[in-house]
Amino acid sequence: MANCLRLIPFQSQGLVVGIQTARCFHQSAPALAVAMSKFDSNVSLPYEKLRKNLGIIKKRLNRPLTLSEKVLYSHLDDPQGQEIERGTSYLRLRPDRVAMQDATAQMAMLQFISSGLPKVAVPSTIHCDHLIEAQVGGVEDLKRAKNVNEEVYSFLKSAGAKYGVGFWHPGSGIIHQIILENYAFPGLLMIGTDSHTPNGGGLGGLCIGVGGADAVDVMANIPWELKCPKVIGVKLTGALKGWTSPKDVILKVAGILTVKGGTGAIIEYYGPGVDNISCTGMGTICNMGAEIGATTSLFPFNKRMADYLNATNRGEIAKEAANYKDLLTPDEGAPYDQTIEIDLSTLEAHVNGPFTPDLAHPISKLGENAKKNGWPLEIKVGLIGSCTNSSYEDMARCASIAREALKHGVKSKIPFNVTPGSEQVRATIERDGIAQTLREFGGTVLANACGPCIGQWDRKDVKKGEKNTIVNSYNRNFTGRNDANPATHAFVTSPELVTALAIKGSLDFDPRTDKIKAADGSDFKLSDPFGDELPVKGFDPGVDTYQSPPSDGSKVNVDVDSKSQRLQILQPFDKWDGKDLEDMTILIKVKGKCTTDHISAAGPWLKYRGHLDNISNNLFLTATNAENGELNKVKNRQSGEWGTVPDTARAYKAAGIKWVAVGDENYGEGSSREHAALEPRHLGGRAIIVKSFARIHETNLKKQGLLPLTFANASDYDKVQPDDKLSLVGLSKLAPGKQVECILKHSNGKTDKIMLNHSMNEQQISWFKAGSALNRMKEISGKK
């Protein structure tokens, strides 16, 4: 078939927003091969290669394998020679595809452009979901976002066309729902520049959240490196019933493992209970595995996945996966590093929070716990949807609750916001009357985007600093996460419970036992929620929102205005000069929780994700300074004056003063945003020293040439005084497994010597020496 381009007007929610370029492939997939997706018809499912690689691994290890190991190890670049030891080895892997959301794609594509390569080496996509702010409703909010972000969308669209990356227009939906509907398949290994990439585990894929620099490696055809994860097995028995939903599985697991209990491990679900959970329900569970620090989460291939593949017009993939079930299910007797067992039949519905997703409360205890802790009982807003809970099944079950309430003359007592996960879900719930039911209940249907889940919410009902409670079906509820108000107590639960709690408007309501006052004065109790797992009439695809890259993008221009406030071409970071880092100033000693939200705030700052210098003005804005207990107020050790953290860092950089930041446990948990690593590097930081790191952030720091170090003795954190001068010595002998000596010079003239650990291997040490992983890539390729 000859190459051809066709131009298609692109609409979303009634708005003409651009031109779609569709591509006919010059050479289709072999007749007997099954394509990875309808958008990648020239790329076949990798099952035969994976089975061959797995055969090599099985001979080498000579033991039963978990499903996680099967999928991961079968994607090894060198299955014969790769060292494999859980928790120790660094695996070199060949992922099948890359996915990027628009906020992180800006920096990823800017880094790829800096590499000088002509085209991506693996199927890759960009998804516009993060930059749409919730204000009024879907149509109006999308129109405004397109106007406000026109420069960024144009850049991403043209960069995608030039470098061979598929582009999903704003209004398409949330990246993880789009992946589940179109790209995920059992046995897939995918990396995505968003921490909730593991959502694809609901369809049997190992989908792992990374920073943009890792995505650049894969797009540049460089093996991707991952520390060999341990495997935590979660055995499910029984069946969900009543008000208990798939969300409650992960809320329970989060309560058990805490926000760092899954660090360095894959969470693998198995057991007879698995077959009693829908495919999108499994996606929900995997999605929120990010909140416990897990590398990713995974379910074995089963009929529920096949049903979903058939419903989304991928029946051929389901048939092919069935032929490779040995590859897509764990071996009998496979060893797990830790095992948790959950009986779905006795699992109680949960609500987690506030301020952290691992503070778990069974619904029967929520009101009591709220009163005991002084949390506001009155709920101000209820929100359902997000990448975690926006499936057709989720919306249908909520509509069943709303329908019953309306029958009794009752609506939501509070503002009720609904976020469809994708254009396909939006179109289908509109067709089936679900969206209208939710509107009659009092709901506002927002754009198919992340919205309030990531802080893209122009909230007007409370003032900043006003203590209040909200309940949502999202995944993350750190301080200020949803509305930039540190006094907002955000609770995470299932969309069904959000809907029920919205009727009462109070945390001390248990829909399983408590009654509601009907409009006629009678009392009624809500029935158990119900809804179809998949639409009986099939999915309505809605408006076509995809732009395929042309077969030859070499003539496409990608321009970045040097005066732009949104985009900035990256300049290489400086190389290490070969000397010890002596007498560094401590910019800030952080006390307590320090997520990537604390290091690089989201919300209104999202608009600067493509402009490193501008977004660096949010560095450590909400991190607590151990010296004074305040936010965004540190002492400039050169001038003696107090100022903001970014301004102080800039002053140090201008004066040539190298600085270091000191942090607490699980530093960098939360979002995958690499800006939390780019910003300290850009403003003159040289090292981050903490008690422990979250996985993605530690890797991001390594990629940008910063030294991520941990106290060999956690108590040494207390020895560090904010006005100390800190030296890292013996760096010329930096080596894997070798501790780094640190000298603390106190203001009273005394010194302390402490030892620091690191997890860098030889390659990662070369990134530090070169100044960044991107610098090292250029050194290897001979580019200057």
Side-chain angles (χ1 to χ4, degrees):
M1 186 182 291
N3 288 334
C4 62
L5 296 175
R6 68 185 192 275
L7 299 180
I8 306 170
F10 163 61
Q11 280 188 309
S12 182
Q13 296 184 329
L15 299 170
V16 176
V17 294
I19 295 293
Q20 173 181 336
T21 308
R23 174 160 59 102
C24 300
F25 288 89
H26 179 70
Q27 186 175 15
S28 61
L32 296 178
V34 177
M36 283 208 316
S37 84
K38 66 181 179 182
F39 304 111
D40 304 300
S41 58
N42 61 340
V43 183
S44 302
L45 289 171
Y47 289 150
E48 200 53 46
K49 179 183 177 182
L50 299 185
R51 179 177 273 174
K52 181 181 177 182
N53 286 351
L54 186 60
I56 296 171
I57 296 298
K58 276 183 165 288
K59 285 182 181 177
R60 287 184 55 198
L61 298 184
N62 193 31
R63 63 167 172 81
L65 297 176
T66 65
L67 173 58
S68 305
E69 291 179 304
K70 287 184 177 184
V71 178
L72 196 64
Y73 302 163
S74 63
H75 283 86
L76 286 168
D77 183 51
D78 178 14
Q80 187 63 60
Q82 171 71 60
E83 180 186 349
I84 301 172
E85 185 179 347
R86 287 184 192 172
T88 301
S89 309
Y90 278 88
L91 306 179
R92 293 170 65 80
L93 299 154
R94 291 288 184 178
D96 299 304
R97 69 178 310 114
V98 172
M100 300 169 279
Q101 40 94 334
D102 51 353
T104 51
Q106 295 170 63
M107 194 56 67
M109 292 309 296
L110 286 166
Q111 290 178 90
F112 187 82
I113 291 169
S114 297
S115 75
L117 296 168
K119 194 171 184 177
V120 298
V122 301
S124 304
T125 49
I126 294 169
H127 303 258
C128 295
D129 63 358
H130 269 57
L131 301 178
I132 303 169
E133 185 180 49
Q135 279 189 351
V136 181
V139 173
E140 300 91 338
D141 293 347
L142 178 59
K143 183 178 181 180
R144 186 180 61 258
K146 284 194 61 59
N147 290 331
V148 171
N149 303 307
E150 181 179 5
E151 179 185 14
V152 171
Y153 291 148
S154 177
F155 164 73
L156 292 174
K157 184 166 60 175
S158 60
K162 184 173 185 65
Y163 296 105
V165 179
F167 180 77
W168 288 85
H169 284 265
S172 304
I174 305 173
I175 176 173
H176 312 303
Q177 184 65 28
I178 297 292
I179 294 297
L180 202 70
E181 292 173 355
N182 298 280
Y183 297 111
F185 61 83
L188 166 73
L189 177 62
M190 184 186 85
I191 63 168
T193 58
D194 189 276
S195 55
H196 293 101
T197 300
N199 190 81
L203 205 39
L206 272 185
C207 302
I208 302 174
V210 299
D214 279 9
V216 172
D217 281 354
V218 177
M219 292 191 292
N221 204 30
I222 296 172
W224 174 59
E225 194 173 70
L226 175 72
K227 194 168 189 178
C228 188
K230 295 183 177 181
V231 185
I232 297 174
V234 179
K235 184 178 182 180
L236 301 179
T237 59
L240 296 168
K241 60 184 180 182
W243 283 86
T244 307
S245 75
K247 184 68 164 278
D248 297 302
V249 175
I250 186 59
L251 293 176
K252 177 70 173 179
V253 171
I256 295 169
L257 290 178
T258 77
V259 289
K260 65 176 184 176
T263 303
I266 294 173
I267 311 295
E268 181 175 315
Y269 295 86
Y270 69 102
V274 165
D275 294 333
N276 296 316
I277 302 174
S278 67
C279 178
T280 51
M282 290 187 272
T284 292
I285 294 168
C286 291
N287 177 296
M288 202 176 158
E291 308 320 315
I292 55 177
T295 301
T296 191
S297 300
L298 182 69
F299 277 85
F301 176 62
N302 66 356
K303 184 181 182 300
R304 308 298 279 269
M305 293 183 190
D307 289 344
Y308 186 77
L309 286 167
N310 281 303
T312 51
N313 300 312
R314 292 178 287 169
E316 289 301 309
I317 293 179
K319 290 178 184 176
E320 192 72 354
N323 294 330
Y324 290 87
K325 200 159 185 183
D326 60 308
L327 174 67
L328 306 173
T329 51
D331 290 335
E332 188 70 31
Y336 295 100
D337 294 284
Q338 180 182 349
T339 304
I340 297 169
E341 186 165 342
I342 295 176
D343 180 358
L344 301 178
S345 301
T346 60
L347 179 64
E348 186 176 333
H350 276 64
V351 181
N352 287 21
F355 305 123
T356 184
D358 60 351
L359 185 55
H361 315 279
I363 184 63
S364 60
K365 300 290 186 184
L366 178 62
E368 175 188 333
N369 291 345
K371 292 171 185 174
K372 185 170 61 179
N373 288 284
W375 302 327
L377 285 178
E378 180 190 2
I379 303 170
K380 290 289 188 180
V381 186
L383 308 99
I384 65 169
S386 86
C387 66
T388 317
N389 275 112
S390 54
S391 68
Y392 182 86
E393 180 183 31
D394 289 329
M395 297 297 172
R397 284 170 63 88
C398 291
S400 76
I401 300 167
R403 207 172 290 118
E404 184 174 20
L406 290 167
K407 186 176 72 174
H408 289 87
V410 176
K411 296 183 178 183
S412 174
K413 191 174 182 180
I414 57 177
F416 187 72
N417 292 326
V418 181
T419 303
S422 67
E423 169 62 10
Q424 179 167 273
V425 168
R426 183 205 64 79
T428 307
I429 65 172
E430 289 286 2
R431 181 201 66 194
D432 292 352
I434 292 172
Q436 184 56 30
T437 296
L438 295 174
R439 288 192 188 96
E440 291 171 3
F441 178 67
T444 299
V445 179
L446 302 175
N448 314 323
C450 299
C453 181
I454 60 164
Q456 285 284 50
W457 183 16
D458 186 20
R459 189 179 180 192
K460 303 290 190 184
D461 63 302
V462 298
K463 296 177 182 177
K464 193 167 184 178
E466 183 180 339
K467 194 174 178 181
N468 75 101
T469 286
I470 64 172
V471 179
N472 61 59
S473 69
Y474 303 160
N475 44 44
R476 192 163 283 165
N477 60 345
F478 298 132
T479 304
R481 167 79 178 179
N482 303 126
D483 60 2
N485 180 4
T488 293
H489 293 55
F491 292 85
V492 174
T493 187
S494 67
E496 297 95 319
L497 270 186
V498 173
T499 307
L501 289 167
I503 297 171
K504 194 70 173 178
S506 179
L507 290 178
D508 58 348
F509 174 64
D510 184 345
R512 304 171 309 160
T513 56
D514 298 345
K515 293 183 177 180
I516 298 169
K517 186 72 69 178
D520 63 5
S522 63
D523 292 329
F524 73 97
K525 191 166 75 71
L526 290 169
S527 304
D528 293 343
F530 66 92
D532 290 326
E533 175 181 344
L534 297 164
V536 175
K537 299 177 185 177
F539 281 107
D540 181 337
V543 178
D544 191 349
T545 54
Y546 177 69
Q547 173 180 296
S548 178
S551 55
D552 181 7
S554 60
K555 301 277 196 306
V556 176
N557 291 321
V558 181
D559 294 322
V560 175
D561 187 342
S562 61
K563 298 178 182 178
S564 171
Q565 295 300 300
R566 299 288 301 272
L567 298 164
Q568 181 185 48
I569 295 296
L570 293 174
Q571 298 300 316
F573 291 132
D574 60 322
K575 291 181 64 172
W576 177 54
D577 61 9
K579 300 176 182 178
D580 288 340
L581 295 170
E582 296 185 334
D583 293 331
M584 289 189 291
T585 295
I586 296 172
L587 174 67
I588 184 171
K589 180 182 178 182
V590 179
K591 178 182 179 182
K593 187 182 285 286
C594 191
T595 71
T596 48
D597 279 336
H598 292 89
I599 305 166
S600 175
W605 292 95
L606 284 171
K607 61 179 175 283
Y608 297 125
R609 286 285 183 88
H611 197 294
L612 179 55
D613 194 55
N614 281 346
I615 199 171
S616 293
N617 288 321
N618 74 2
L619 181 65
F620 288 120
L621 288 192
T622 58
T624 300
N625 183 2
E627 186 172 12
N628 56 11
E630 297 188 44
L631 309 184
N632 199 28
K633 186 177 181 181
V634 295
K635 191 171 187 178
N636 184 317
R637 302 301 167 183
Q638 185 181 37
S639 68
E641 298 178 354
W642 292 87
T644 69
V645 184
D647 286 349
T648 305
R650 287 187 185 279
Y652 289 158
K653 181 180 180 181
I657 298 171
K658 296 180 175 67
W659 58 263
V660 61
V662 177
D664 216 316
E665 294 279 6
N666 207 31
Y667 179 92
E669 68 178 279
S671 170
S672 67
R673 73 191 62 150
E674 64 187 322
H675 298 77
L678 281 160
E679 292 174 33
R681 182 72 167 98
H682 173 64
L683 294 184
R686 296 294 164 171
I688 307 292
I689 304 171
V690 300
K691 292 180 182 178
S692 63
F693 284 105
R695 175 188 63 85
I696 299 176
H697 185 64
E698 183 179 22
T699 300
N700 287 345
L701 292 170
K702 294 175 184 178
K703 288 277 184 176
Q704 303 308 333
L706 279 154
L707 286 173
L709 304 169
T710 57
F711 295 103
N713 295 307
S715 60
D716 285 346
Y717 168 89
D718 297 320
K719 293 181 180 178
V720 180
Q721 302 305 311
D723 59 353
D724 285 350
K725 292 293 184 182
L726 187 152
S727 298
L728 301 176
V729 299
L731 292 181
S732 62
K733 296 179 181 178
L734 187 63
K738 182 181 175 65
Q739 290 185 324
V740 174
E741 184 178 323
C742 174
I743 306 297
L744 301 173
K745 295 180 182 177
H746 305 302
S747 57
N748 61 7
K750 295 182 179 179
T751 63
D752 270 311
K753 184 178 86 170
I754 62 175
M755 301 307 295
L756 306 173
N757 296 330
H758 69 87
S759 63
M760 292 181 288
N761 59 24
E762 290 287 2
Q763 176 172 272
Q764 293 165 346
I765 290 171
S766 76
W767 300 341
F768 163 68
K769 291 178 177 178
S772 71
L774 193 58
N775 287 0
R776 181 59 181 156
M777 183 192 299
K778 290 179 180 179
E779 286 179 356
I780 294 171
S781 65
K783 297 184 183 296
K784 304 296 181 185

